[in-house]
Amino acid sequence: MARCAATLCLTAGLLLAGCSSDSDKKPADSPFDRGALLTHVADQFILPGYQALESQATALQDSITAFLAAPTQARLTRIRLQWEVTALAWQPLGAFDFGPANTTTGTLSERIATFPVDTLQVEAYISAQDFSLNNFDRDTRGLYAIEYLLYRYDAAAYSPGSARGQYLSAVAGQLKSLATEVRQQWSTSYRNTFVTNTGTDAGSSISLLFNQMVFHFEQLKNFKLGLPLGLRASQTSEEPTRVEAFFSGKGLELAKAHFAAIDRLWRGRSATGAEGPGFEEYVLATDGGGQLAAATLAQLAAVQQELDPIPADLPLAQQIIDQNPQLDQAYEELQRLTRYLKSDLSSLLGISITFASGDGD
């Protein structure tokens, strides 16, 4: 697959564009009601999102418990479908990986959505009959450890009481518990804390939301496409085994859902179609924001145009091996979107970027 020099040049250009320091930031001169945006996002995106994740994780745990009591291939097939629904429910939530989702033991994303899975270490824990999950090996649990166990083995590997089944049960139980923990904190107290913290300084809700939205976008660009495609700094070739959901082959479907969630958040349009203030409205209410809003919408459309023709029913890893040029084109358009979502938006709204992506974008 041709690795065009334009990618590197574009990265270098964005490096310069994204290097504005915190001291350059000034409060945006805008009458925009940030409380209304935060309320809309909390009530139409975050709370329903965590409720959906908790519901699907509970259904996944219950189906695994029933399967392990009487394992059949038909039940395993149904569990795999439930895993897909649960993984899709997770995709929007990486943009809200702060507050209750950010604990001293890591973010929810780190704890349930780390990939690729360290399959050798998973097998080591199973062999040692260590089901405690009391370790720092985040790549041995969460959604993608469950995926490995469900798709790598058939029902015959899960005789009642087997060590493999006990490990699967432990990981599924932890996933459900973590989803419940975060949902409960948002439902009981953090929602009001979030919607009433309407400043733009570091630590304000709008800063947390903006930074996490951009970080979530970069996770898609850098780790779901760029790294497997071999387009990251120091890479010399594709690494298709590093795709998300390698064992199920659902990586592209999840990546498309991930992008759709970012697009909706920017526009303020929830998954159920509820319209309200999003970053687009915030930008339009800010002096000089019309041009940035138009450019961002055009680039979001350009990304969608490149993603749409890529078949989601073919494993992403196989498409990388087959050198589907559409994947490179989608990555290039995501790279071009970085400027609008990150540096230009940060400058216009006067919100500092508080994380380092490590890629110079």
Side-chain angles (χ1 to χ4, degrees), residues 64 107 125 178 185-186 197 226 230 246 259 280 342 354:
I64 285 174
T107 66
Y125 284 130
L178 291 173
Q185 290 188 51
W186 266 99
N197 185 3
F246 173 79
F259 175 72
E280 179 182 10
K342 191 175 182 181
T354 58

Side-chain angles (χ1 to χ4, degrees), residues 6-7 10-11 14 213-229 231-232 244 251-252 254-263 295-296 298-308 310 316 325-343 357 359 361:
T7 300
L10 179 60
T11 301
L14 293 176
M213 177 184 72
V214 177
F215 185 79
H216 189 46
F217 162 73
E218 295 205 333
Q219 296 295 299
L220 167 64
K221 180 190 67 176
N222 295 338
F223 296 106
K224 295 193 176 185
L225 285 179
L227 191 62
L229 285 166
L231 295 172
R232 302 287 295 150
E244 181 182 24
L252 195 57
L254 298 178
K256 288 185 175 186
H258 187 147
F259 175 72
I262 292 169
D263 184 284
T296 306
Q299 193 55 39
L300 286 167
V303 173
Q304 193 67 61
Q305 186 174 353
E306 297 300 337
L307 284 175
D308 282 343
I310 305 174
L316 178 55
Q326 198 75 36
L327 293 170
D328 273 11
Q329 293 167 24
Y331 176 81
E332 296 272 349
E333 296 301 343
L334 284 168
Q335 186 70 289
R336 292 188 177 97
L337 181 58
T338 306
R339 167 188 169 184
Y340 303 120
L341 284 184
K342 191 175 182 181
S343 54
S357 61
D359 62 358
D361 290 337

Side-chain angles (χ1 to χ4, degrees), residues 64 82 124 144 152 169 183 275 329 341:
I64 285 174
Q82 181 57 47
Y144 302 104
R152 175 64 179 81
S169 178
R183 195 275 305 159
E275 300 276 0
Q329 293 167 24
L341 284 184

Side-chain angles (χ1 to χ4, degrees), residues 19-42:
C19 282
S20 56
S21 67
D22 288 357
S23 61
D24 294 329
K25 307 302 180 191
K26 298 177 181 177
D29 181 15
S30 169
F32 183 74
D33 184 354
R34 286 187 291 272
L37 184 154
L38 297 171
T39 299
H40 178 60
V41 170

